[in-house]
Amino acid sequence: MAGGTAFDSRHIAPFELYIEAGRDERLRAAAAECFAAYDSLALGILRRLGLPDPERLAGAVVAMVFGQQLRRLATGSPAEDLVDTLLLMTGTAVGGTGCDAAARPPSASRSC
């Protein structure tokens, strides 16, 4: 999913909302609502993956995805960086090495 998602300057608006919410408390409720929705989505995915303690991991996964996406937007880094990070995080959470080549989508052919 992460590797196939287009991400470019058209996707900058959410980041602008979050930064502006840091300056204007009137926007904080909207930003919090957005993050709550992302956390809920992440929680559902982590549960379906069978990861231990998904409630604890969901916020961290959302923060990591946002950080990687911001880095990708700012530097042009490839989507595979996000895929690698997600595989590392979820593999480590279940006691693996975090490098599951079998789980890697074909578009993410980088080695660990």
Side-chain angles (χ1 to χ4, degrees):
M1 182 174 92
T5 303
F7 192 78
D8 56 26
S9 61
R10 293 175 295 155
H11 298 88
I12 214 166
F15 294 102
E16 291 174 336
L17 168 65
Y18 305 137
I19 290 168
E20 193 58 33
R23 295 182 188 117
D24 184 346
E25 66 182 50
R26 295 173 297 176
L27 296 173
R28 290 185 185 161
E33 189 176 322
C34 290
F35 276 111
Y38 291 127
D39 289 350
S40 178
L41 176 63
L43 178 60
I45 292 169
L46 295 171
R47 281 184 177 150
R48 297 237 344 137
L49 289 173
L51 295 177
D53 205 4
E55 293 81 7
R56 187 169 163 232
L57 285 175
V61 168
V62 169
M64 185 273 310
V65 168
F66 268 85
Q68 284 292 109
Q69 291 290 54
L70 183 59
R71 180 182 212 149
R72 184 174 166 193
L73 180 65
T75 66
S77 63
E80 289 80 14
D81 287 354
L82 175 56
V83 173
D84 287 345
T85 303
L86 285 168
L87 288 173
L88 177 67
M89 181 176 245
T90 57
T92 301
V94 294
T97 64
C99 182
D100 185 357
R104 184 180 303 275
S107 64
S109 59
R110 296 170 65 187
S111 62
C112 296

